[in-house]
Amino acid sequence: MENKNIHSDQDAAQLKALGLTSHFERTMSFWENFSLGFTYLSPVVGVYSVFAMALKAGGPPMFWNYFLVGIGQLLVCLIFGEVVSQYPISGGIYPWSLRLVGKKWAWMAAWVYAWALFTTIAAVAVGGSPFLSQLLGIEMSNSLSIWVAVAMIAFTTLLNVSGTKLLARVAMFGFICELLGAIVVGGYLLIFARHQPFSVLFDTFHFGKGTDYLPAFLASSVAAMFCYYGFEACGDVAEETPNAGVAIPKSMRMTIYIGGGAATFVCLALILAHPDLASAVSGVDADPVGTTLKSALGLTGFRMVIGVVMISFISCLLSLQAAASRLLFSFARDGMIFGSKQMSKLSPNTKVPVAALIVTGIIPAFIASIGHFLQDAVNTIISFAAIGIYIAFQMVIVGAIWARFKGWRPSGSFTLGAWAWPINIASLIFGLGAIANMLCSDRAMVITTLIVILSGLTYLMVGQPHQKK
């Protein structure tokens, strides 16, 4: 209890020095904070949602992207760790960018990140509908799947407004179920149901070899990129986590290590246990995940696994909404967005930003409902979800470089010391390369990215929100 009080006093003093007073409850333990990042990253959701798309884009060698993207995102994570250790403020991307660069830069970073989160919530909900259909053993039309996705978003919104304690408990439960499910199911597939040799991981099928294969490999990397964000959510709830400057950089890194490792393991198991990879690569098998699990586990075992998968989807949605709502709260606390007066308020009972949470339910539900008019709703919605996150991440990375040029010396509990500059530059190179790759791989990404950026710039220039406080 004494240590808890000491940390509470230190956290309050650190925020006071930054000109803030927090009214959140610091009830989220280190493991619960890590669980939030893990369930946001959600290896099962990430891999299962885009596995078919990745195989069709690049064949089995797409597996190696999980290592390459993981290393790149770890570099980004290390820079985030330095920043959050000094600025442990709710909302993450926005307050970090604000203090590294300034109001206009922070406003645009938050605008892009918010829409990326909204589309990610919609993508996860829409991606979860087919698994619920399989769990119940019923066929769902595209329209019904979209309404199920909307219902999932509504359900997690209700859970989130119940408070930080429930959020932390559900995140912890989701983490345990998902990690055990990934290890047990993946292990079973590799030991008892493997159909493919390990050499298939180098089989490019009809995509060509050597440099001819590179475009397909890069196109398939979008799947790994979709899996490797979520660690920043640990920082989004910094004001709800004791000893945040020490705990959050560590929980971020653990999210990459454990979450990324689990995603890589799940992907490996699904590839090697698929009975006919040629049909999955060609698209004849439109549901290679279902094919693999049914072949290995039978219908009953398959539905048991899908039950765990649905827990993963719900906990992932819960964590995503929590991150998005804290971003909106932080944005609104500075009067930077319409509806700031309402979204900057915490419930007197649950100590969470209820209005911000409702917004993070309504907007993604609307985005998901657009899927009624789309042939491939999940892939279309994902087209901005991933790139928006990466753009927002790079705005923090660029901000850190700018601040270093201006003389910033990180003073938090976690610093990179002499490695700061090399890691910062390497993370920038990786991030810009990832963004360029995604833009080249999907024209829809170019259109959605331009819409979000141009609308944000218009709002910024016309509304002048950065001047209101």
Side-chain angles (χ1 to χ4, degrees), residues 152-302:
M152 289 170 63
I153 293 171
F155 175 64
T156 54
T157 302
L158 288 174
L159 288 178
N160 253 312
V161 298
S162 299
T164 302
K165 289 183 179 179
L166 181 63
L167 167 67
R169 288 169 182 168
V170 174
M172 192 70 183
F173 177 70
F175 158 65
I176 293 170
C177 289
E178 185 163 1
L179 186 61
L180 287 176
I183 293 172
V184 172
V185 175
Y188 181 86
L189 292 178
L190 289 175
I191 296 171
F192 301 107
R194 184 162 66 89
H195 289 277
Q196 308 295 336
F198 283 95
S199 60
V200 80
L201 298 175
F202 301 93
D203 188 342
T204 58
F205 282 74
H206 61 273
F207 294 105
K209 295 182 179 180
T211 56
D212 291 336
Y213 174 68
L214 185 60
F217 182 70
L218 292 176
S220 68
S221 69
V222 175
M225 291 176 188
F226 184 65
C227 287
Y228 268 105
Y229 56 89
F231 58 88
E232 82 281 4
C234 302
D236 287 330
V237 292
E239 293 176 37
E240 295 157 80
T241 307
N243 199 21
V246 174
I248 291 176
K250 183 178 179 181
S251 60
M252 282 182 171
R253 297 194 302 276
M254 284 180 59
T255 298
I256 292 286
Y257 302 149
I258 300 177
T264 305
F265 183 65
V266 168
C267 182
L268 175 67
L270 289 174
I271 290 173
L272 297 185
H274 195 285
D276 183 10
L277 272 178
S279 65
V281 173
S282 66
V284 172
D285 180 3
D287 181 22
V289 173
T291 299
T292 300
L293 295 177
K294 288 174 185 176
S295 172
L297 305 171
L299 187 58
T300 300
F302 167 72

Side-chain angles (χ1 to χ4, degrees), residues 258-447:
I258 300 177
T264 305
F265 183 65
V266 168
C267 182
L268 175 67
L270 289 174
I271 290 173
L272 297 185
H274 195 285
D276 183 10
L277 272 178
S279 65
V281 173
S282 66
V284 172
D285 180 3
D287 181 22
V289 173
T291 299
T292 300
L293 295 177
K294 288 174 185 176
S295 172
L297 305 171
L299 187 58
T300 300
F302 167 72
R303 287 185 175 169
M304 289 175 64
V305 172
I306 295 302
V308 175
V309 170
M310 287 310 303
I311 293 174
S312 300
F313 270 92
I314 294 297
S315 57
C316 180
L317 283 173
L318 197 71
S319 299
L320 281 164
Q321 279 191 300
S325 67
R326 273 49 169 190
L327 171 72
L328 289 183
F329 167 82
S330 183
F331 215 19
R333 182 164 57 181
D334 286 352
M336 289 283 209
I337 195 73
F338 55 85
S340 289
K341 185 176 180 180
Q342 290 74 31
M343 288 193 288
S344 61
K345 291 180 180 178
L346 298 182
S347 165
N349 298 320
T350 60
K351 302 297 182 183
V352 294
V354 174
L357 280 165
I358 291 173
V359 172
T360 64
I362 292 174
I363 294 178
F366 173 75
I367 295 172
S369 68
I370 297 174
H372 175 71
F373 305 101
L374 302 174
Q375 290 295 320
D376 193 350
V378 178
N379 293 352
T380 303
I381 294 172
I382 284 174
S383 70
F384 179 72
I387 196 169
I389 295 287
Y390 277 70
I391 290 173
F393 279 16
Q394 286 308 297
M395 291 187 76
V396 176
I397 296 301
V398 171
I401 290 176
W402 172 260
R404 292 186 208 279
F405 269 122
K406 302 285 285 187
W408 175 56
R409 296 291 182 270
S411 59
S413 299
F414 175 78
T415 62
L416 295 171
W419 288 97
W421 270 108
I423 291 175
N424 212 152
I425 292 171
S427 64
L428 176 64
I429 294 171
F430 162 76
L432 294 179
I435 291 168
N437 177 45
M438 285 188 275
L439 288 174
C440 292
S441 299
D442 191 340
R443 290 182 181 178
M445 287 189 179
V446 178
I447 296 171

Side-chain angles (χ1 to χ4, degrees), residues 25-43:
E25 290 185 343
R26 289 191 183 271
T27 57
M28 184 174 285
S29 70
F30 166 78
W31 284 104
E32 289 169 339
N33 181 269
F34 158 69
S35 297
L36 182 74
F38 181 94
T39 52
Y40 175 164
L41 181 147
S42 191

